[in-house]
Amino acid sequence: MIDSNLYASPVQASQALITHILEAMDKEPGRPFTIALSGGTTPATLFEVWEREYAAYTPWFRIYFYWVDERCVPPGDEQSNFGLANRLLLSKIEMPSSHYYRIVGEGVPEEETKQYSSIVKTTVPTVGGVPVFDFVLLGIGEDGHTSSIFPGRQELLTAGEPYGVSVNPYNQTVRICMTGLPMIRARHTCFLVAGEGKCSILKQVLDVRNAEVFPASYVWHRARNPLLYASPVS
């Protein structure tokens, strides 16, 4: 594991990631930044820290938020990734709704996948037809999945469209997820990982010998600029 990317707590890992984002924005003050958010327990800490400690220092008018993945549920459902970000961050900051693009989880998955892919391709700068986000924030599941791309769904890593439909193999719930190329081509591909239970899979993901084994390792070893923010505690 990369010691310099290890932090004592999820709060400190979140602080480091937010600081990196703000420093990158300071270096290029004349343009907007596109950031794709994930859901889950660790991003919840990120949202809380961002609102509590950095809201006053963040140029929200220059940020456009997107989502890496979404469960096919309404925004008011406790499983909604957008709902989580909205409760902990968006509803508490001065950011107009025109600055974030949620995945419509309550829509027909196949139709919303096409619609969201179109939105992303027309609002995020593209290179060779691939949207290039400034920051894509990812997590890693204990099975090595990322962006709701689970082991055995490798076709989503090389799909031509920026978003696809995925199914959680453990509970059969349907999700809409970012595919491989936007994660790999992002200017910064950031993995935010916390918890003792993630230590084993994280070591496997970072091992180049496993570059083809897990979706997360596929992305990590191919990403233009992969960055790790990890804490062994949750």
Side-chain angles (χ1 to χ4, degrees):
M1 196 175 294
I2 307 172
D3 292 340
S4 61
N5 299 107
L6 286 176
Y7 298 88
S9 69
V11 168
Q12 290 186 15
S14 296
Q15 290 170 331
L17 175 50
I18 296 165
T19 298
H20 180 199
I21 292 172
L22 296 181
E23 288 178 346
M25 295 183 71
D26 283 343
K27 291 177 181 177
E28 298 183 81
R31 69 175 187 87
F33 269 62
T34 55
I35 301 174
L37 303 172
S38 292
T41 303
T42 308
T45 299
L46 176 78
F47 301 149
E48 290 172 334
V49 171
W50 206 337
E51 187 276 327
R52 184 177 64 241
E53 301 179 23
Y54 297 88
Y57 311 108
T58 301
W60 299 112
F61 66 95
R62 291 178 52 209
I63 293 177
Y64 288 83
F65 283 133
Y66 299 79
W67 272 261
V68 169
D69 59 350
E70 182 59 279
R71 298 172 176 87
C72 291
V73 297
D77 191 290
E78 64 178 12
Q79 294 298 311
S80 170
N81 287 346
F82 168 79
L84 177 72
N86 191 48
R87 288 193 304 274
L88 299 180
L89 181 62
L90 299 179
S91 65
K92 299 182 179 183
I93 60 175
E94 295 184 4
M95 173 180 275
S97 59
S98 60
H99 277 239
Y100 52 85
Y101 298 88
R102 80 174 181 94
I103 297 172
V104 180
E106 67 272 30
V108 178
E110 290 76 14
E111 293 180 4
E112 176 56 17
T113 296
K114 293 179 182 178
Q115 176 70 12
Y116 202 69
S117 290
S118 177
I119 289 172
V120 168
K121 287 190 290 186
T122 55
T123 58
V124 176
T126 60
V127 176
V130 178
V132 179
F133 290 90
D134 290 295
F135 284 86
V136 171
L137 310 187
L138 301 171
I140 298 175
E142 292 185 11
D143 61 354
H145 82 262
T146 194
S147 174
S148 291
I149 300 180
F150 294 88
R153 292 301 308 276
Q154 270 76 358
E155 74 277 5
L156 288 168
L157 293 169
T158 57
E161 290 297 315
Y163 284 80
V165 177
S166 180
V167 177
N168 183 328
Y170 310 110
N171 58 19
Q172 304 307 307
T173 56
V174 181
R175 304 183 180 191
I176 295 170
C177 66
M178 184 182 289
T179 56
L181 286 177
M183 291 189 276
I184 292 167
R185 301 280 180 85
R187 296 181 74 207
H188 306 84
T189 303
C190 303
F191 286 85
L192 182 62
V193 185
E196 186 177 354
K198 300 289 181 72
C199 290
S200 176
I201 189 62
L202 182 56
K203 289 179 181 178
Q204 295 179 68
V205 165
L206 296 178
D207 190 334
V208 69
R209 294 172 295 181
N210 294 325
E212 306 296 326
V213 177
F214 307 103
S217 58
Y218 181 97
V219 174
W220 172 264
H221 292 286
R222 288 170 172 79
R224 170 182 174 183
N225 184 22
L227 300 162
L228 175 64
Y229 299 85
S231 171
V233 301
S234 56

